[in-house]
Amino acid sequence: GNSVTQMEGPVTLSEEAFLTINCTYTATGYPSLFWYVQYPGEGLQLLLKATKADDKGSNKGFEATYRKETTSFHLEKGSVQVSDSAVYFCALSDGGYGNQFYFGTGTSLTVIP
Amino acid sequence: EAQVTQNPRYLITVTGKKLTVTCSQNMNHEYMSWYRQDPGLGLRQIYYSMNVEVTDKGDVPEGYKVSRKEKRNFPLILESPSPNQTSLYFCASSPTGTAPYEQYFGPGTRLTVT
């Protein structure tokens, strides 16, 4: 079946530090991969996505590359800011009937000045 | 503004008292879905709907009902809430057609059942 395993948090970083949040997946077929971000008190917002192997999604300085050989989609940012403090969710969709999304458990990030 | 709205945002109720959480989207999306978010478990899908009058169970449908009489609305019904349904609930919608079908989320409804 389909599943997503995400690095456990919480993660605390100083401003301008490098961020990596690990995400690996198990899927049948060729899923699309997503990172969503949830700011305090808000719903989830799409951060970036990739639809096929070797695609790189990027947005707001965040990047993630779809690695089929390692079944991974790790999120990275070179220099985090206080405003990046949020919960980050990795997710996959197999695109089949039902458009079912499978989410990781979320990783809480706190960036301190 | 394109958005998914949910009401109420916060709700405290007692065991067994029927309640409805409304969800509405203004993007003309065919697909709508309900999730619950619990610590350590991430988001789990409760029900989804591919279009009007078409609904299907997700991973955790027990204790919930849904209906899809209009394209824009997808209410979640708890006929007899229990404390294990205390959770944060999200409604989401997406277009259908060409994958990937990005999902758009509402702001969430925090439900407490005592």
Side-chain angles (χ1 to χ4, degrees):
Chain A
N2 297 326
S3 67
V4 174
T5 301
Q6 191 174 339
M7 164 182 173
E8 290 200 14
V11 174
T12 302
L13 294 174
S14 297
E15 207 164 21
E16 299 184 2
F18 184 85
L19 168 71
T20 299
I21 300 178
N22 290 337
C23 171
T24 58
Y25 68 90
T26 302
T28 54
Y30 303 95
S32 296
L33 301 174
F34 304 81
W35 276 100
Y36 278 82
V37 59
Q38 183 180 30
Y39 297 104
E42 299 184 11
L44 280 72
Q45 303 172 25
L46 179 68
L47 181 59
L48 53 83
K49 64 186 177 187
T51 60
K52 60 183 187 297
D54 300 325
D55 269 3
K56 177 185 282 188
S58 61
N59 187 25
K60 298 181 181 179
F62 291 89
E63 293 183 339
T65 301
Y66 189 147
R67 302 282 188 204
K68 197 171 189 317
E69 64 276 14
T70 54
T71 61
S72 65
F73 193 55
H74 304 322
L75 182 68
E76 296 182 336
K77 187 175 186 183
S79 177
V80 294
Q81 305 300 312
V82 172
S83 57
D84 294 327
S85 298
V87 180
Y88 293 82
F89 291 91
C90 185
L92 73 82
S93 170
D94 61 12
Y97 182 85
N99 191 28
Q100 190 158 7
F101 268 55
Y102 299 84
F103 286 88
T105 53
T107 301
S108 175
L109 170 67
T110 300
V111 180
I112 55 178
Chain B
E1 178 189 355
Q3 60 183 348
V4 178
T5 57
Q6 296 178 226
N7 282 291
R9 294 288 312 277
Y10 302 91
L11 180 58
I12 301 174
T13 190
V14 296
T15 299
K17 186 176 181 181
K18 180 180 179 180
L19 66 91
T20 300
V21 183
T22 64
C23 173
S24 182
Q25 51 93 5
N26 62 2
M27 295 169 280
N28 201 36
H29 287 165
E30 294 84 6
Y31 176 93
M32 298 185 75
S33 180
W34 276 102
Y35 295 87
R36 59 178 290 172
Q37 181 182 9
D38 300 290
L41 297 176
L43 276 78
R44 294 178 292 168
Q45 190 177 50
I46 302 171
Y47 269 95
Y48 64 94
S49 169
M50 295 295 288
N51 214 323
V52 176
E53 302 293 1
V54 180
T55 63
D56 284 287
K57 296 177 181 179
D59 294 322
V60 289
E62 295 77 20
Y64 304 94
K65 284 177 57 177
V66 292
S67 69
R68 187 91 181 273
K69 293 182 170 50
E70 304 169 283
K71 197 173 188 179
R72 63 184 291 124
N73 296 323
F74 190 45
L76 179 69
I77 303 157
L78 284 72
E79 295 268 0
S80 182
S82 62
N84 64 12
Q85 293 178 298
T86 293
S87 187
L88 180 58
Y89 292 86
F90 288 101
C91 181
S93 72
S94 73
T96 56
T98 303
Y101 313 114
E102 173 191 340
Q103 296 203 10
Y104 296 80
F105 285 81
T109 295
R110 185 166 292 282
L111 171 65
T112 302
V113 183
T114 62

